[in-house]
Amino acid sequence: MMKNMTGETDKKIICFFSGDITREGGTENVAALIANALARQKKYEIIFLSLVERRDTPFFPICPEIRRYRLGEKWIQPGPGYLAVLPKLKRFLRERRVDVLVDIDIVLDSLSVPVKGSGTKVVSWGHFSYYYERKSPYRRLIQMYAAKKADYCVTINEENRKCYERYLHRTKALRTIYNPAVMEKRQDAVAKENYIFWAGRLVRIKGVDYLAETADRVLKLLPGWRWLAAGDGEEREWLETYIREHGLQDRLVLLGTVADIGQYYAKARIHVLTSREEGLPMCLLEAKSHGLPCVSFNISTGPEEIIRDGVNGYLVEPFDCEKMAEKIVRLASDEELRERFALNAGLDMEKFDLNNIINSWNEVFESLCG
């Protein structure tokens, strides 16, 4: 891992700014995918900057030609502690001659926008629902600030873009760029297993309580089926207690953090999303890329732009666990219906095509660097 300043380059320098790019979150996954694809073009010099790096090796692979830097050794909670980071960030941008800084969480806009100077343009890249950001006074203020001061704002779904226009009065240098998904070649030889798959952090926003209630309802009606949940987080202990109290041992299985998650998508029969809030859920894109029928709560942003209700999945009224369980059981009990949904999984996936997405990012950078 290289963190020292290196030689000059004639290429424009695009820096992706993260809290910690070595983490296993969906935001880090998307940032790594985009950065790697941009680096392969060899059009720009792509680098990563993190506030800290708590792993020596990133959870998601990053091309070796992408250098990584960090501003400090200890995690700093957003708030007054950020003041000490400002001069470090300003010095980094100046010494590395960064042309464009892409903040992969709007909280980082509170650092980058004040110190960007004349030589660096800042892209505010929001990964959460507009409505989620409004629930935190701190994040709401940053969102309003970035909407006024950032050089470019990128949203990951159309609903968020419309909210920026309608409520934040940002109309220029604003566009939607979806998260990418790569359609996997269908492997008929892969033996499917009777399990429902769920993936995400075990935290409240991901609807761990709804996961538990829905799984309890479903598994009572589907003997011989299991429900696998990939991910870890602060609500794991609560979920383990729920599993014991409801006699779901060996049926609702907690996999923890999974390195090769594709193997679980490939063998599953149904994918489920129980989140309270999402920006654009990567797990649904990954499930569709593997040809999986999906069942999701129809929350305010995300699922409706991915799933066609009754065509390749089901959208359920938030947060009706009884109705969600009903849809899952219907899919599990009807092989012909699952197969029809699986064949339709590729519908509307062109907007999530990596090449189209990289073309959109190139247009953003050209508008800022031209």
Side-chain angles (χ1 to χ4, degrees):
M1 180 171 61
M2 300 176 63
K3 295 190 177 68
N4 294 326
M5 304 307 172
T6 61
E8 299 291 329
T9 178
D10 292 330
K11 295 178 181 178
K12 297 294 184 180
I13 299 175
I14 310 297
C15 177
F16 286 84
F17 187 23
S18 170
D20 180 356
I21 197 55
T22 67
R23 290 183 296 197
E24 68 270 20
T27 300
E28 291 74 27
N29 185 12
V30 174
L33 283 170
I34 298 297
N36 288 340
L38 288 167
R40 286 192 291 269
Q41 291 184 137
K42 302 188 183 304
K43 184 176 182 178
Y44 309 105
E45 180 183 346
I46 306 298
I47 63 176
F48 270 110
L49 173 66
S50 295
L51 291 177
V52 299
E53 286 192 353
R54 288 177 281 192
R55 282 192 175 102
D56 290 332
T57 303
F59 185 83
F60 300 104
I62 293 174
C63 293
E65 62 265 34
I66 298 178
R67 291 193 299 279
R68 300 185 349 250
Y69 304 88
R70 63 187 177 202
L71 290 176
E73 302 292 332
K74 294 183 179 179
W75 180 256
I76 300 173
Q77 289 294 337
Y82 270 11
L83 291 174
V85 179
L86 291 170
K88 294 180 181 180
L89 177 60
K90 186 173 184 177
R91 184 168 58 253
F92 176 87
L93 298 177
R94 183 179 67 251
E95 292 178 351
R96 281 300 292 130
R97 299 184 180 180
V98 172
D99 294 286
V100 180
L101 185 68
V102 182
D103 296 339
I104 69 171
D105 185 334
I106 68 164
V107 166
L108 299 172
D109 296 336
S110 64
L111 291 170
S112 59
V113 174
V115 304
K116 63 179 182 170
S118 58
T120 303
K121 304 292 185 181
V122 170
V123 177
S124 175
W125 186 14
H127 284 268
F128 296 97
S129 161
Y130 168 85
Y131 306 103
Y132 169 76
E133 303 289 14
R134 307 302 286 178
K135 293 179 180 179
S136 161
Y138 181 69
R139 295 184 71 93
R140 182 171 70 245
L141 286 172
I142 295 172
Q143 186 182 56
M144 294 169 62
Y145 174 60
K148 289 183 178 180
K149 299 295 185 180
D151 297 289
Y152 213 108
C153 291
V154 172
T155 67
I156 59 173
N157 60 61
E158 277 294 287
E159 178 64 21
N160 279 1
R161 183 189 62 77
K162 291 174 183 176
C163 287
Y164 268 65
E165 291 181 338
R166 187 180 305 127
Y167 304 122
L168 301 178
H169 311 294
R170 175 83 186 216
T171 57
K172 296 180 180 179
L174 168 70
R175 71 187 300 169
T176 296
I177 303 180
Y178 290 104
N179 290 341
V182 179
M183 288 300 293
E184 301 289 337
K185 185 176 180 180
R186 185 164 177 174
Q187 301 178 33
D188 293 326
V190 173
K192 290 286 187 177
E193 299 179 15
N194 285 345
Y195 67 79
I196 298 128
F197 190 51
W198 183 101
R201 290 174 295 126
L202 298 182
V203 294
R204 186 177 185 278
I205 195 172
K206 296 297 183 179
V208 173
D209 49 343
Y210 300 134
L211 153 67
E213 181 181 344
T214 305
D216 190 22
R217 291 174 179 272
V218 166
L219 294 173
K220 285 177 180 175
L221 297 172
L222 293 177
W225 281 67
R226 294 181 300 156
W227 186 307
L228 273 55
D232 220 330
E234 60 199 40
E235 295 203 358
R236 177 167 185 143
E237 186 176 346
W238 177 88
L239 188 53
E240 288 173 337
T241 300
Y242 186 98
I243 289 169
R244 288 194 302 271
E245 291 178 349
H246 290 77
L248 296 173
Q249 296 94 328
D250 301 322
R251 300 202 65 204
L252 175 49
V253 181
L254 306 185
L255 301 172
T257 301
V258 174
D260 181 14
I261 202 167
Q263 64 177 311
Y264 294 99
Y265 283 116
K267 295 179 181 179
R269 295 198 185 276
I270 301 166
H271 179 75
V272 174
L273 181 83
T274 58
S275 296
R276 288 177 162 82
E277 301 274 356
E278 287 283 349
L280 193 74
M282 283 297 293
C283 61
L284 288 184
L285 293 177
E286 290 168 343
K288 280 192 69 179
S289 74
H290 283 83
L292 268 182
C294 297
V295 183
S296 172
F297 289 136
N298 192 17
I299 50 181
S300 57
T301 62
E304 199 169 33
E305 296 190 47
I306 300 174
I307 297 171
R308 285 199 199 183
D309 187 38
V311 176
N312 52 24
Y314 287 121
L315 296 169
V316 178
E317 183 72 20
F319 296 97
D320 190 337
C321 295
E322 182 178 0
K323 180 64 69 173
M324 174 169 271
E326 177 188 312
K327 296 293 187 182
I328 294 169
V329 171
R330 179 184 301 177
L331 268 174
S333 305
D334 191 334
E335 184 177 355
E336 183 180 339
L337 179 63
R338 288 200 310 273
E339 180 64 17
R340 186 165 74 248
F341 278 17
L343 291 172
N344 290 330
L347 293 174
D348 307 319
M349 290 296 280
E350 63 278 356
K351 61 188 177 185
F352 308 113
D353 178 74
L354 182 59
N355 289 330
N356 293 336
I357 287 166
I358 293 303
N359 288 339
S360 294
W361 277 107
N362 280 326
E363 290 172 5
V364 170
F365 298 143
E366 287 164 8
S367 73
L368 294 173
C369 298

